[in-house]
Amino acid sequence: MENATSRRLDPAREQAILDATLELLAETGYDRMSVDHIARRAGASKATIYRRWTGKADLVVDLVCNRLDIDLPPAPDTGSLRGDLLAALGAICEAIGRRHQLIIGLVSAMLSSPELAGAVRDHMPGRDLSGLDFLLGRAVERGDLPGPVDPRALFSVAEALIWRRLIVLGEPLDDAFMADAVDGVLLPLAESWSGSMGA
């Protein structure tokens, strides 16, 4: 039997519903948002929404896991590992900064809604770290690093620094933060890990 999530809508109508969901998530948060609100904002009927998604959790999972453009940029080439890390971190911060209120609201909603949290974790795609892997490999070829570095480990540290800055400290992802993150944490870690892996 065909399920609700397999019934595609007209692309323009589907995008209008997703846009409305994104706007309401940012404005009111997940808990106060309803399918009624989404339908009114999108100029669609609830029946139309339920033909495509099983409910607001399913809709938000689709939006967050498949539609938001928060991804790693292509590997920059500035001529040095420090410059490359600064450029890569800057692009990530810019992408996250455009959506940080939405993401913070979603994290809060996941804490209060086990259903939503489970759905997001089950469907969240893996990060494509090929660009960061290429960046680190190029640093080895240039002689900036003595050996390989695990891109997942380095990206996890960068993510932790970004979310601590936004959520715990409530401070901007500015140039000072990025310079401190690269010079004080990411570059020393990459050099240390590279030396131990290359030994």
Side-chain angles (χ1 to χ4, degrees):
M1 182 177 178
E2 186 183 45
N3 60 44
T5 56
S6 69
R7 299 172 190 167
R8 309 299 301 191
L9 301 177
D10 171 77
R13 175 57 57 89
E14 186 166 307
Q15 190 59 53
I17 293 168
L18 289 166
D19 288 345
T21 303
L22 180 60
E23 291 168 6
L24 288 166
L25 270 175
E27 291 171 14
T28 68
Y30 177 81
D31 292 334
R32 288 187 290 172
M33 182 180 70
S34 70
V35 173
D36 281 324
H37 295 146
I38 296 168
R40 283 198 295 272
R41 178 68 63 92
S45 69
K46 288 173 60 178
T48 297
I49 293 175
Y50 283 119
R51 279 200 300 271
R52 175 66 180 86
W53 297 276
T54 59
K56 74 172 184 176
D58 188 34
L59 208 168
V60 170
V61 167
D62 185 17
L63 175 69
V64 172
C65 296
N66 301 319
R67 313 301 178 105
L68 289 185
D69 182 20
I70 302 175
D71 216 339
L72 291 177
D77 187 357
T78 66
S80 72
L81 177 57
R82 180 183 184 273
D84 290 355
L85 288 173
L86 275 172
L89 183 62
I92 295 167
C93 287
E94 181 182 359
I96 289 177
R98 291 196 302 266
R99 305 291 196 197
H100 83 275
Q101 292 294 346
L102 166 64
I103 297 170
I104 290 171
L106 182 66
V107 169
S108 175
M110 288 172 67
L111 292 174
S112 63
S113 172
E115 175 196 16
L116 177 66
V120 170
R121 292 182 184 119
D122 286 346
H123 293 87
M124 183 68 73
R127 286 284 187 185
D128 179 3
L129 298 180
S130 58
L132 182 56
D133 193 27
F134 180 80
L135 182 156
L136 294 168
R138 186 175 57 211
V140 174
E141 293 174 0
R142 273 196 309 239
D144 292 342
L145 294 173
V149 175
D150 180 359
R152 289 195 181 281
L154 196 64
F155 182 75
S156 294
V157 174
E159 259 192 329
L161 292 171
I162 289 169
W163 293 121
R164 179 179 183 274
R165 179 80 170 185
L166 285 175
I167 298 175
V168 178
L169 301 179
E171 296 178 358
L173 301 175
D174 54 15
D175 290 344
F177 160 73
M178 290 184 282
D180 287 345
V182 169
D183 293 334
V185 181
L186 299 178
L187 186 56
L189 272 181
E191 292 170 342
S192 175
W193 289 344
S194 177
S196 64
M197 292 179 72

